[in-house]
Amino acid sequence: MTAPTADAATEVHDPAVLAWASDLLDRAGGPRAMQQAVIAAVERNARWRGEECLNLLAPEAPMSPTVRALLSAEVGQRAAEGHIGPANRWFAGTRHIDEIEALCVELLKRVFGARYADHRLVASMIGNLAVYAAMTEPGDAIMSVTQPFGGHSSNRGDGPAGVRGLYIHDVPMDPVELEVDLDAFSDSARRIRPKLVALGASMTLFPFPVTAMADIVSEWGGRIFFDGAHQLGLIGGGQFQDPLREGAAVLTGSAGKTFSGPQSGVIVWDDPALTVPLTDAIFPTLAATHQVNRVAALAAAAAEFFAFGQDYMAQIVANAQALAGALHERGVPMLAAHKGFTRTHQAIADVTAFGGGEAVANRLAEANIITNKNLIPTDPAAAWDRPSGLRIGTTEVTRWGMKEGEMARITDLIVDVLKECRPVEAVQRDAGDLRRSFPTLHYCFAPEA
Ligand SMILES: *Cc1c(COP(=O)(O)O)cnc(C)c1O
């Protein structure tokens, strides 16, 4: 059972980590021990990331116990390709799967106030590809946000938009306000006449002027596509702009980011003319067996939004503002200080003075504080792999019940690491203590007995 060795020059994964795994399997002495090695790694992660770390990674959110439990439901091993309803399925036996999926669709429609929703996106990336497949032709021009301003690869040349063969132009952004430069946009958009303008971003602090931009592109029949991967929960909880009401034709989002459901995608829209192209792009083009356990978990997460979404999402934003304000006061330069730092779950620091994004994120992780390096607008394009920024998100700590007071304590711990005030081990201990003093997930129903 030794593995054939890959050509080291073409291997994209870290060869040292693969060699560690291969060696472990060689020494395991049998399949059962191999399986135990997998389980042990999962348990090490659960202990460290689940119990000892302050997870401030913006794309993460803890699922409620009910939602998480549904991921191992019996239905996760059932196959149900196609649209909902017995006439639309290739496979028999889908009676209750139709019920689960219909509940999910109807819940998503209610949370987002949309006429149509789809539940079959195993990733939000795939939702974006469905949008490009349905709403563009190869060779069309689109506009999207560049990475230093928070844009995501899925709307750029190295993602689904590029795969579709689109000409991708930049949405002009104001580097100080961190919002769309509407004057520059109206000039360049009228010149380019994009079929689609993709808004939304991974580094996201402020709303986009969707209405004004939709008005401009409507002059030539262009549409706005809002990629709300990060903001999906904030939108569902009424704490951010409401893209569909403001004129976006379609909204996609990640179910596992602020929305706090299972990692996967959501897509909603209102225009009946888009229904056949979008759903055709999803099935049979991009989804087949679409993980019905995940659909059940997504539906359960959507139901939580009616009870808890507003309070949960409002506290996430309040915590991000508190954290950003406290860090700025302690000498960590935060973006958009002149305008209240953020209207989302994120705060962005310029950590150039502390060694740059990568070094700082690694030092914080040593201290059990998990963040990520991030490009910021002042980063030159050539330095894409050495970003100056640090992105901090408050979704998870908020769901553990932390409020503004704890944001001050987290600030102290971050500053201790950045300014090397105390040994890393001491900060690590305090981070673990703070995490463990909030043992219960909030904004969810008690699990069914
Ligand atoms: C995270 C992200 C995606 C991809 O979402 P997945 O659910 O991870 O596939 C797409 N667009 C933006 C703006 C993102 O931040």
Side-chain angles (χ1 to χ4, degrees):
M1 265 186 296
T2 50
T5 35
D7 169 13
T10 54
E11 179 59 74
V12 295
H13 300 298
D14 185 330
V17 185
L18 291 179
W20 167 86
S22 186
D23 183 53
L24 192 67
L25 296 174
D26 284 345
R27 289 188 290 105
R32 188 186 173 89
M34 290 176 170
Q35 188 180 62
Q36 282 164 346
V38 176
I39 294 165
V42 170
E43 283 171 355
R44 283 195 293 277
N45 190 69
R47 224 167 19 250
W48 183 48
R49 295 293 306 280
E51 294 168 15
E52 294 167 7
C53 283
L54 292 170
N55 294 298
L56 300 168
L57 210 49
E60 289 184 349
M63 286 174 276
S64 71
T66 307
V67 170
R68 202 172 126 182
L70 282 168
L71 286 179
S72 57
E74 181 275 345
V75 79
Q77 58 209 329
R78 303 297 156 210
E81 297 180 4
H83 305 310
I84 296 169
N88 298 318
R89 304 280 194 185
W90 193 250
F91 306 133
T94 57
R95 188 191 322 156
H96 303 299
I97 292 169
D98 285 334
E99 294 166 2
I100 296 166
E101 296 191 8
L103 285 166
C104 186
V105 166
E106 293 301 322
L107 280 160
L108 291 174
K109 282 160 62 175
R110 289 175 192 214
V111 170
F112 295 102
R115 297 172 73 187
Y116 304 95
D118 205 284
H119 56 295
R120 289 168 290 186
L121 305 171
V122 294
S124 183
M125 257 344 228
I126 298 193
N128 292 0
L129 183 52
V131 168
Y132 292 118
M135 298 177 70
T136 66
E137 297 294 332
D140 281 345
I142 66 153
M143 295 178 79
S144 64
V145 181
T146 63
Q147 272 99 337
F149 282 98
H152 188 261
S153 62
S154 54
N155 304 308
R156 306 295 291 173
D158 47 357
V163 167
R164 184 64 172 156
L166 304 172
Y167 289 98
I168 299 160
H169 303 266
D170 303 343
V171 170
M173 300 287 291
D174 182 317
V176 178
E177 299 305 318
L178 303 176
E179 293 186 48
V180 173
D181 180 339
L182 207 47
D183 289 337
F185 175 78
S186 75
D187 288 348
S188 55
R190 286 192 170 104
R191 200 175 60 244
I192 296 161
R193 296 167 74 88
K195 187 172 265 178
L196 213 54
V197 176
L199 299 179
S202 308
M203 176 177 76
T204 174
L205 299 175
F206 300 105
F208 288 81
V210 172
T211 307
M213 297 174 83
D215 280 350
I216 292 168
V217 300
S218 72
E219 291 169 16
W220 54 89
R223 314 287 295 265
I224 302 288
F225 156 40
F226 201 98
D227 174 355
H230 269 270
Q231 310 92 338
L232 192 71
L234 303 175
I235 294 167
Q239 304 299 320
F240 196 61
Q241 65 186 133
D242 190 351
L244 289 185
R245 241 63 53 202
E246 292 163 20
V250 56
L251 165 68
T252 61
S254 297
K257 297 182 184 172
T258 52
F259 196 70
S260 306
Q263 288 180 345
S264 58
V266 166
I267 183 168
V268 291
W269 66 98
D270 275 332
D271 179 357
L274 290 175
T275 300
V276 169
L278 282 173
T279 44
D280 273 359
I282 293 166
F283 181 84
T285 309
L286 296 170
T289 44
H290 47 258
Q291 305 166 352
V292 189
N293 54 328
R294 177 196 62 74
V295 177
L298 176 59
E304 287 171 353
F305 260 77
F306 299 112
F308 310 106
Q310 302 232 341
D311 291 347
Y312 176 19
M313 295 299 136
Q315 190 63 48
I316 285 176
V317 177
N319 281 351
Q321 289 168 343
L323 191 59
L327 282 165
H328 200 73
E329 236 166 62
R330 297 287 306 277
V332 181
M334 302 300 291
L335 265 49
H338 68 293
K339 53 193 289 191
F341 303 104
T342 182
R343 300 266 307 276
T344 71
H345 60 303
Q346 297 184 4
I348 311 292
D350 179 345
V351 290
T352 310
F354 304 101
E358 177 156 343
V360 166
N362 288 340
R363 272 158 55 202
L364 285 169
E366 285 291 311
N368 289 359
I369 299 169
I370 311 298
T371 60
N372 72 278
K373 63 181 174 187
N374 214 90
L375 283 171
I376 55 176
T378 45
D379 282 324
W384 63 269
D385 58 343
R386 280 168 280 121
S388 313
L390 188 78
R391 184 174 62 166
I392 306 170
T394 53
T395 310
E396 178 157 334
V397 290
T398 304
R399 202 165 207 186
W400 285 119
M402 298 188 198
K403 298 223 156 80
E404 286 86 342
E406 286 73 40
M407 297 307 114
R409 289 176 64 189
I410 293 174
T411 297
D412 290 342
L413 298 177
I414 292 176
V415 168
D416 282 347
V417 174
L418 264 55
K419 300 190 176 172
E420 299 176 58
C421 307
R422 288 198 298 151
V424 160
E425 298 73 37
V427 182
Q428 197 184 78
R429 214 165 31 244
D430 288 354
D433 287 346
L434 178 56
R435 165 65 191 85
R436 278 185 296 272
S437 62
F438 286 82
T440 312
L441 282 168
H442 289 236
Y443 310 106
C444 49
F445 303 112
E448 302 289 335

